Amino acid sequence: MGIAKLSREYALQGANLLLVPAWDFNLDRWLHARMAVLRAVENGFALARSARNGLLTLSDNRGRVIAETATVPGRFVSITGKVNVVHEQTFYTRTGDWFAWLCVAMFVILLAFPFLARSGSP
């Protein structure tokens, strides 16, 4: 779920719910769980994420976490909850990363502007 392109491809294929296995490392469990929720919101699908050494997370396509609990080595852990699995086409899914690339281009232009202004003045 850390790769935006894959999530967008799943959404374009009509995914309503993604069942995501993961393996976190205690310290980064919250970060990776939230990154997965973000990808689900970006692309309009619900998410059920099962993580070893991480967080079991169930969220809807709006980013609302329905249920969540930490996994514990050597102990069975589960969550239950009702989630709406209706797929919604999002602006990001349709258009992709154009805004991010526009921001990168503007940053480069603004970074180069002082150097170009100096070379043009007498």
Side-chain angles (χ1 to χ4, degrees):
M1 294 301 292
I3 302 171
K5 182 179 179 183
L6 291 177
S7 297
R8 195 164 50 250
E9 287 176 10
Y10 298 143
L12 289 171
Q13 293 173 10
N16 294 338
L17 170 69
L18 237 55
L19 306 175
V20 180
W23 192 347
D24 297 335
F25 301 99
N26 292 329
L27 294 175
D28 65 354
R29 69 172 112 198
W30 185 87
L31 173 68
H32 285 283
R34 291 308 179 262
M35 283 174 35
V37 171
L38 172 68
R39 296 288 174 242
V41 170
E42 283 176 343
N43 295 291
F45 50 73
L47 173 76
R49 182 177 186 270
S50 173
R52 181 176 179 175
N53 293 335
L55 296 174
L56 301 179
T57 308
L58 181 63
S59 67
D60 66 7
N61 63 359
R62 300 283 191 208
R64 292 180 289 250
V65 176
I66 308 301
E68 183 173 67
T69 192
T71 58
V72 178
R75 194 175 84 189
F76 180 79
V77 179
S78 67
I79 57 175
T80 60
K82 288 185 177 186
V83 64
N84 188 359
V85 293
V86 175
H87 177 78
E88 292 187 22
Q89 188 75 282
T90 65
F91 180 74
Y92 177 75
T93 303
R94 288 190 306 268
T95 61
D97 293 329
W98 67 270
F99 184 71
W101 287 113
L102 176 66
C103 289
V104 169
M106 289 301 297
F107 174 73
V108 170
I109 290 168
L110 291 173
L111 196 61
F113 185 74
F115 298 109
L116 296 173
R118 263 191 234 139
S119 64
S121 63

